Structures are given as structure tokens and as C-alpha cells.
């Protein structure tokens, strides 16, 4: 992998990740952009103890542009985009309309391929590995920013999810706090560690799932399963079998095997609702340990956390979506219409 860092016309950082070491990236952003001004602010909810990002400048972000005006495609002739060069393998740049900025963190866009009509599932194993390497590098770089406590790499896919740009891409949020979902996990880890005299909750969950009926895919270094208490109709968790706290901890064997299992998993997601159905909308979310202090979670150290990816769709059956209604949105109590065992069986049935 070759990494080339440059700046866009308004001062934002852009980084090319290339498969070939002899690739030269010297294109200049020719757009007449003024320096980006953001209004991001993080406010703490005194009742729930969590944080909300207020970012009114995002109201003006680009919304469903036609394909020939996509800002994530390479620049071509006089059609100038966020990527100055005429081609790329993987590229990451600071979001022009970030939810988090400055002392409130940072937001980046990750373009998986220059092919506007592709999806992550269409990537080769070599390309998917390059994306993994880019996620890892960005996690490392962002973890050193003084305002950043946790790094979250994710992909939103599909109009049903709320995606406003059709080009295959994901995002990275670098939060100035530990997210509420991670905090819940760490509390459970602390309780399990105390109750078992030092046992690890993630290890226990993985061991139990591998011995059960909800395994979807398993390799030498990774395992994918539908969790016992899945929140979503089709939800799969992908774990490395050797516990590591973040992407930086993966060894070469795990990095090599990851594209094989993940690409197959995504392709199965596209087949679960039958041939001829629209592409399955999904969210793919990497859960990594915070880089900040863990004093709020007594007895827990950073290595107690287990890196894993959670992949789920909001589609519950052909032509129908799972909406977060009163119980889910009002009380955070999920009601799942698809038994996890049946979801796992279906995902095994649609093997290529």
C-alpha cells in the first residue's frame, strides 16, 4: 500500500491509498473553494448522560446529485469533484459537512472505489484488503488527535438508510467521548469480569455462539454469527477469533482472511430477499475500544474490549422495512420480527 497525503482547495486533508507503490498523486484541486466553516457543538444530556452533536451547517450538504455530478467520482476534464485526480483506488478526505469538527472531533469520508456503480460487495479481495488497511491507518492517525477518544469506521448503504450520495463510500467519525453503545458494552464487561473472577465477556459470547446454531460463516481467523438477542431482522456480528481491541491489533493472517469472509457475507445479504430484489440496505459498523481513559468502568482495561463488526439491515422481508417505532425509539426496547435462528439459517441457505 502506498499512502499519499495532500490538501484540497479549502484546506481539508485528502489521502490516497494505492495498490501500486509507483503511483504518483500530484493533481491539484482547481475548485475556487473558500475555507470550510463549521458550527459543530457537542452538548451533554443531563438526564441520560449521553452526548448530542449539533451541526446546523449540515443542512446545506449535497443531497442526491445526479450521477454525472457525483462529488465522490474522480475529477474529469472540467468536471471537478472532491477527488482532484482522474482515478483512485481508495481515498479518504475530511468531510466538507462534518457532524464533528475541531475540538468536537473529526469526520472523514472513505471512498471504496472510483466505480460509481459498484458496491463494496463488488470489490476484489485485493481492493477490500486495501480498504481494511485504510481503516486501520485512519484509526491510528485519528487516535493521536488530542480531541479524539474513540474512532468509528462505518458504512451506510442504501436510500432506505438515508444515504444521500450513491457512490460506494463509508465514513469515519472520531468522537471526543466514549459513545453510549460502547459504554454499555464496557459496563457489561466490567460486571462479567467481577462475577467470574477475571473472565472476559466477549470471549464467552464468541465461544457460546461458535458452539450453537447461529453461525453463518467461519474461517480460521474470523467467525460471523447472528447474535442470540439480535435487535434487527437480519444482523450479523463478525469477530476475529483472537481478541484484539482495535483494527491496529489484527495480525497479517487475520488481515488476509478478512476480505474473503466479509465479501461473502455482503453478497449473502444481497441475496436474502430473493433474486430481482433491490440491493439490501445495510449499516456496517466497526466497534473498537476507546483510546481514552476507562476509569468509569472499574477493573476494565483496554485489552478487555473485542474488536468486531456489526452488519444489519432495516429490511425485514421483501418490500418491507423495520421501523423504529414507540418501543424502540421511545424506550430503546427492540422488538425483532425474525427469530435469530431463522435469520442465520436463511443466510446459510443463500451461499454462493
Amino acid at each position: 500500500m502506498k499512502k499519499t497525503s495532500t490538501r484540497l482547495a479549502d484546506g481539508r486533508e485528502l489521502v490516497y491509498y494505492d495498490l501500486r507503490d509507483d503511483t504518483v498523486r500530484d493533481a491539484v484541486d482547481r475548485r475556487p473553494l473558500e475555507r470550510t466553516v463549521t458550527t459543530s457543538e457537542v452538548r451533554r444530556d443531563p438526564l441520560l448522560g449521553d452526548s448530542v452533536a449539533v451541526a446546523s451547517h449540515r443542512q446545506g450538504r449535497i443531497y442526491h446529485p445526479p450521477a454525472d455530478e457525483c462529488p465522490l467520482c474522480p475529477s474529469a476534464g472540467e468536471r471537478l469533484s472532491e477527488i482532484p485526480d482522474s482515478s483512485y483506488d481508495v481515498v479518504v478526505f475530511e468531510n466538507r459537512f462534518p457532524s464533528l469538527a475541531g475540538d468536537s472531533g473529526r469526520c472523514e469520508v472513505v471512498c471504496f472505489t472510483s466505480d460509481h456503480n459498484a458496491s463494496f460487495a463488488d470489490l476484489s479481495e485485493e481492493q477490500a484488503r486495501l480498504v481494511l488497511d485504510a481503516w486501520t491507518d485512519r484509526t491510528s492517525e485519528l487516535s493521536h488527535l488530542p480531541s479524539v477518544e474513540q474512532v468509528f469506521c462505518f458504512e451506510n448503504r442504501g436510500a432506505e438508510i438515508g444515504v444521500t450520495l450513491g457512490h460506494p463510500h463509508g465514513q469515519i467519525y472520531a468522537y471526543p467521548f466514549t459513545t453510549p453503545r460502547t459504554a454499555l458494552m464496557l459496563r457489561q464487561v466490567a460486571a462479567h469480569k467481577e462475577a467470574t473472577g477475571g473472565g472476559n465477556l466477549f470471549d464467552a459470547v464468541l465461544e457460546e455462539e461458535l458452539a450453537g446454531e447461529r453461525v453463518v460463516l467461519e474461517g480460521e481467523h474470523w467467525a460471523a454469527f447472528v447474535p442470540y438477542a439480535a435487535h434487527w431482522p437480519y444482523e450479523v456480528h463478525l469477530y476475529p477469533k483472537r481478541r484484539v481491541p482495535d483494527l491496529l491489533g489484527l495480525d497479517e493472517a487475520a488481515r488476509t482472511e478478512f476480505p474473503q469472509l466479509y465479501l461473502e457475507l455482503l453478497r449473502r445479504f444481497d441475496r436474502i430477499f430473493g433474486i430481482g430484489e433491490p440491493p439490501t440496505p445495510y449499516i456496517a459498523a466497526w466497534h473498537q475500544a476507546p483510546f481514552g481513559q476507562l476509569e468509569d468502568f472499574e477493573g476494565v482495561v483496554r485489552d478487555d474490549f473485542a474488536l468486531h463488526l456489526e452488519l444489519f439491515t432495516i429490511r425485514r422481508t421483501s418490500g418491507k422495512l423495520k421501523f423504529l417505532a414507540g418501543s424502540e425509539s421511545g424506550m430503546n426496547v427492540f422488538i425483532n420480527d425474525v427469530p435469530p435462528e431463522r435469520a442465520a439459517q436463511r443466510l446459510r441457505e443463500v451461499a454462493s
Side-chain angles (χ1 to χ4, degrees):
M1 178 187 78
K2 181 180 180 181
K3 175 183 174 182
T4 306
S5 180
T6 185
R7 292 282 171 179
L8 297 173
D10 55 7
R12 290 176 293 133
E13 184 180 17
L14 180 144
V15 184
Y16 294 99
Y17 294 90
D18 287 295
L19 293 168
R20 291 175 55 95
D21 290 337
D22 59 353
T23 303
V24 176
R25 299 294 185 188
D26 55 8
V28 176
D29 185 4
R30 295 182 284 125
R31 296 173 298 171
L33 297 180
E34 296 182 359
R35 187 164 291 273
T36 301
V37 177
T38 62
T39 57
S40 294
E41 175 188 0
V42 173
R43 298 184 180 183
R44 188 166 180 80
D45 186 324
L47 293 180
L48 299 179
D50 59 11
S51 299
V52 175
V54 179
S56 60
H57 63 275
R58 285 176 52 79
Q59 289 281 35
R61 66 187 185 274
I62 299 171
Y63 186 81
H64 291 301
D68 61 356
E69 296 179 16
C70 175
L72 306 185
C73 288
S75 293
E78 295 306 310
R79 189 188 65 76
L80 306 178
S81 73
E82 289 280 69
I83 296 91
D85 216 324
S86 59
S87 67
Y88 64 84
D89 291 335
V90 173
V91 71
V92 179
F93 60 88
E94 288 184 75
N95 198 322
R96 190 176 176 187
F97 303 96
S99 301
L100 307 165
D103 292 339
S104 298
R106 175 158 156 155
C107 293
E108 298 183 339
V109 177
V110 184
C111 298
F112 304 139
T113 171
S114 60
D115 184 352
H116 180 85
N117 297 312
S119 69
F120 201 115
D122 295 324
L123 301 182
S124 68
E125 290 184 11
E126 185 181 36
Q127 290 172 308
R129 167 61 190 267
L130 184 62
V131 176
L132 175 64
D133 290 342
W135 282 330
T136 305
D137 181 72
R138 298 317 303 160
T139 296
S140 176
E141 292 290 330
L142 294 171
S143 71
H144 291 98
L145 297 180
S147 63
V148 171
E149 189 166 313
Q150 186 174 2
V151 178
F152 175 47
C153 306
F154 64 101
E155 180 191 2
N156 298 329
R157 192 253 202 144
E160 299 94 330
I161 297 293
V163 174
T164 58
L165 296 175
H167 195 103
H169 73 287
Q171 299 182 65
I172 302 175
Y173 277 22
Y175 297 103
F177 50 80
T178 296
T179 61
R181 187 171 177 84
T182 303
L184 285 173
M185 292 184 196
L186 290 170
R187 292 189 190 103
Q188 291 298 103
V189 168
H192 181 87
K193 192 172 187 178
E194 181 179 8
T196 59
N200 184 271
L201 178 59
F202 289 106
D203 291 351
V205 167
L206 181 59
E207 181 180 2
E208 183 174 348
E209 291 291 0
L210 287 177
E213 60 181 313
R214 290 179 297 275
V215 175
V216 176
L217 286 169
E218 185 177 359
E220 183 179 353
H221 305 284
W222 293 85
F225 57 87
V226 177
Y228 171 73
H231 288 54
W232 299 93
Y234 290 91
E235 174 183 339
V236 177
H237 293 189
L238 179 62
Y239 276 65
K241 290 185 176 180
R242 182 179 68 87
R243 172 166 42 92
V244 295
D246 53 40
L247 290 165
L248 301 170
L250 294 174
D251 59 22
E252 182 58 29
R255 293 181 184 281
T256 299
E257 187 181 79
F258 168 77
Q260 303 166 21
L261 266 70
Y262 187 50
L263 290 172
E264 174 61 20
L265 193 57
L266 292 179
R267 290 161 187 165
R268 292 191 187 194
F269 256 59
D270 272 344
R271 293 193 292 267
I272 53 178
F273 299 110
I275 302 298
E277 284 291 311
T280 302
Y282 65 73
I283 292 175
W286 279 109
H287 291 263
Q288 305 192 80
F291 288 95
Q293 299 299 314
L294 299 178
E295 63 269 11
D296 292 339
F297 312 101
E298 187 173 352
V300 175
V301 296
R302 195 166 184 274
D303 285 344
D304 289 331
F305 194 87
L307 167 77
H308 62 284
L309 183 143
E310 297 185 8
L311 173 69
F312 61 89
T313 178
I314 62 170
R315 188 179 292 165
R316 57 187 174 87
T317 189
S318 179
K320 297 179 181 179
L321 300 180
K322 163 66 178 177
F323 291 102
L324 300 189
S327 184
E328 291 90 353
S329 295
M331 284 296 167
N332 201 28
V333 178
F334 277 68
I335 301 169
N336 191 350
D337 302 318
V338 180
E341 293 73 22
R342 172 57 186 153
Q345 180 184 358
R346 178 62 181 150
L347 285 163
R348 289 193 298 268
E349 290 173 349
V350 294
S352 57

